[in-house]
């Protein structure tokens, strides 16, 4: 777990740094810089012959991943039209999950034939190809710049002092990120306990990915056009909680499969919903969209880090009760968000 933790930590810090830089450099230089770290980390991972070297390599890889992720979100948010932004984030999420699923399958096939260490060299090659394509065929663009005349420290104070902002982070982003660890952490442990094969677990991951790729963008297009900024968040958190409560009530592998599909549907439009709500806040416009997106990524990583810890601590209560407690806690957090967050987001044309 240590290499993964270091990778996530470095990725979160890199995303935050990229958010501060992207407002004046644009997304493309950050993406190319991220690819350089990404490729270097992959190459060093393949060359690593001890644990320390591998951990350092994964940290470098995490820096590259954080830069690339934030820059791609910046590219999607560089559109001036709200509908285009919503579509861009939704397609980015779908493409990411499609790439993850394909990468898992392809990586496993290659590992059987050429060995695990050489797979990292293949990753290095793909980063080079991606860099060449972006360098030659894609244009740079800058996310909307800061409008406020207040100093940066003052803008940060306003940003985190905004009740709508911190309730969004605390009661939507973090609980949703914790729920997402149901698939990554809880399901493999539960499947092993009930005697389900690793192949069947892999199929559940594919079902989740298919829901993200094919169902999520369709829902995102509808909710982004007709439901504004806040209602999609409520729908997103409700589906997340429903997935947890459904498994808690049925407590079977079949229920886990259905919960995984519901989580995929929620993530498929939820990333765009979170992005849109954040960018609708006046304090986000004052601070700068790139920095705000960086903080959103860091908060998500915090929730993903807390997820395995919370699932692990609650497992002593049994799988059904532990997941049920998380589901009802998400409902409680959603109620707090609805009560504490007031109206007053910036008006935008959503038609």
């Amino acid at each position: 777990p240590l290499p993964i933790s270091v990778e996530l930590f470095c990725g979160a810090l890199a995303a935050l740094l990229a958010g501060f830089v992207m407002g004046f450099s644009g997304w493309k230089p950050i993406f190319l810089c991220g690819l350089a770290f990404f490729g270097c980390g992959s190459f060093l991972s393949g060359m690593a012959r001890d644990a320390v070297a591998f951990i350092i390599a994964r940290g470098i890889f995490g820096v590259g991943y954080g830069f690339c992720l934030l820059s791609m979100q910046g590219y999607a948010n560089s559109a001036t039209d709200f509908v285009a932004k919503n579509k861009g984030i939704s397609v980015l999420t779908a493409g990411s999950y499609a790439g993850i699923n394909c990468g898992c399958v392809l990586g496993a096939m290659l590992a059987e034939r050429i060995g695990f260490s050489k797979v990292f060299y293949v990753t290095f090659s793909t980063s080079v190809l991606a860099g060449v394509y972006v360098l030659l065929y894609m244009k740079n663009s800058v996310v909307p710049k800061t409008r406020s005349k207040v100093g940066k420290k003052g803008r940060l104070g306003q940003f985190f002092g905004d009740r709508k902002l911190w309730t969004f982070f605390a009661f939507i982003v973090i609980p949703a990120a914790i729920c997402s660890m149901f698939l990554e952490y809880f399901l493999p442990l539960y499947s092993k306990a009930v005697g389900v094969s690793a192949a069947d677990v892999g199929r559940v991951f594919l079902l989740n990915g298919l829901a993200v790729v094919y169902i999520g963008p369709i829902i995102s297009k509808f909710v982004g056009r007709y439901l504004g900024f806040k209602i999609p968040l409520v729908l997103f958190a409700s589906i997340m909680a429903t997935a947890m409560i459904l498994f808690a009530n049925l407590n079977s592998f079949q229920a886990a499969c259905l919960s995984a599909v519901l989580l995929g549907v929620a993530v498929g439009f939820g990333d765009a919903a979170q992005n849109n709500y954040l960018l609708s806040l006046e304090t986000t416009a004052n601070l700068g969209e790139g920095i705000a997106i960086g903080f959103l990524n860091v908060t998500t990583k915090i929730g993903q880090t807390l997820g395995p810890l919370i699932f692990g601590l609650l497992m002593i209560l049994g799988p059904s009760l532990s997941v049920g407690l998380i589901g009802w806690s998400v409902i409680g957090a959603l109620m707090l968000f609805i009560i504490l967050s007031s109206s007053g987001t910036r008006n935008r044309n959503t038609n």
Side-chain angles (χ1 to χ4, degrees):
L2 187 57
I4 297 176
S5 299
V6 171
E7 181 179 325
L8 291 175
F9 177 74
C10 292
L13 292 181
L16 185 59
L17 175 61
F20 280 91
V21 176
M22 192 165 54
F24 57 85
S25 71
W27 71 273
K28 188 173 179 178
I30 296 174
F31 184 80
L32 293 174
C33 181
L35 281 178
F37 279 100
F38 188 92
C40 181
S42 299
F43 189 81
L44 292 176
S45 296
M47 294 186 63
R49 294 296 178 266
D50 57 72
V52 175
F54 186 71
I55 291 171
I56 294 174
R58 300 318 293 170
I60 296 173
F61 180 91
V63 171
Y65 176 79
F67 280 165
C68 289
L69 176 63
L70 208 287
S71 61
M72 288 188 292
Q73 291 175 329
Y75 175 70
N77 283 311
S78 63
T80 57
D81 178 64
F82 165 73
V83 175
K85 286 187 178 184
N86 184 69
K87 182 179 179 180
I89 293 296
S90 179
V91 171
L92 172 61
T93 301
S96 298
Y97 273 80
I100 290 171
N101 284 330
C102 292
C104 289
V105 175
L106 182 60
M109 294 171 59
L110 288 173
E112 290 182 352
R113 289 163 174 79
I114 64 177
F116 285 96
S117 62
K118 292 184 176 62
V119 174
F120 292 112
Y121 299 137
V122 177
T123 305
F124 169 76
S125 301
T126 59
S127 67
V128 174
L129 293 175
V132 171
Y133 177 82
V134 170
L135 190 63
L136 296 179
Y137 297 107
M138 299 190 72
K139 295 181 179 180
N140 191 28
S141 56
V142 182
V143 295
K145 295 183 179 180
T146 300
R147 300 185 309 185
S148 175
K149 296 181 180 180
V150 181
K152 183 164 288 188
K153 290 184 178 180
R155 295 197 302 269
L156 281 172
Q158 292 175 355
F159 184 72
F160 288 105
D162 183 2
R163 185 174 64 184
K164 294 190 292 293
L165 188 281
W166 63 258
T167 54
F168 165 63
F169 278 166
F171 301 134
I172 295 294
V173 178
I174 291 179
I178 291 172
C179 283
S180 69
M181 290 295 103
F182 172 86
L183 193 69
E184 304 287 341
Y185 177 81
F186 175 84
L187 182 60
L189 295 179
Y190 174 78
S191 300
K192 185 176 181 180
V194 297
V196 175
S197 67
D200 287 335
V201 175
R203 294 185 182 97
V204 177
F205 274 79
L206 287 176
L207 286 174
N208 173 266
L210 289 172
V212 174
V213 173
Y214 291 107
I215 302 177
I218 297 174
I219 298 177
S220 181
K221 182 178 180 180
F222 173 79
V223 300
R225 184 179 294 271
Y226 299 110
L227 300 184
F229 300 111
K230 193 171 180 179
I231 295 177
L233 282 183
V234 175
L235 181 62
F236 166 59
S238 299
I239 295 176
M240 282 280 193
T242 300
M244 300 295 100
I245 296 171
L246 178 67
F247 172 82
N249 289 334
L250 300 180
N251 192 15
S252 66
F253 182 72
Q254 290 75 16
C257 294
L258 184 55
S259 295
V261 172
L262 288 176
L263 288 175
V265 171
V267 170
F269 77 91
D271 284 359
Q274 292 180 87
N275 181 84
N276 294 337
Y277 182 82
L278 178 64
L279 299 186
S280 74
L281 300 178
E282 190 67 33
T283 48
T284 296
N286 291 335
L287 180 65
E289 292 186 359
I291 302 174
I293 296 171
F295 281 118
L296 174 60
N297 279 278
V298 171
T299 307
T300 300
K301 295 300 182 186
I302 291 173
Q304 291 173 342
T305 303
L306 292 174
L309 177 62
I310 293 174
F311 274 107
L313 290 175
L314 292 178
M315 277 295 287
I316 59 174
L317 303 175
S320 179
L321 183 56
S322 61
V323 176
L325 283 174
I326 292 175
W328 286 111
S329 297
V330 174
I331 293 292
L334 177 60
M335 293 298 104
L336 288 173
F337 170 75
I338 294 173
I339 294 170
L340 294 177
S341 63
S342 58
S343 61
T345 57
R346 288 183 292 161
N347 292 324
R348 290 186 179 181
N349 182 17
T350 59
N351 294 323

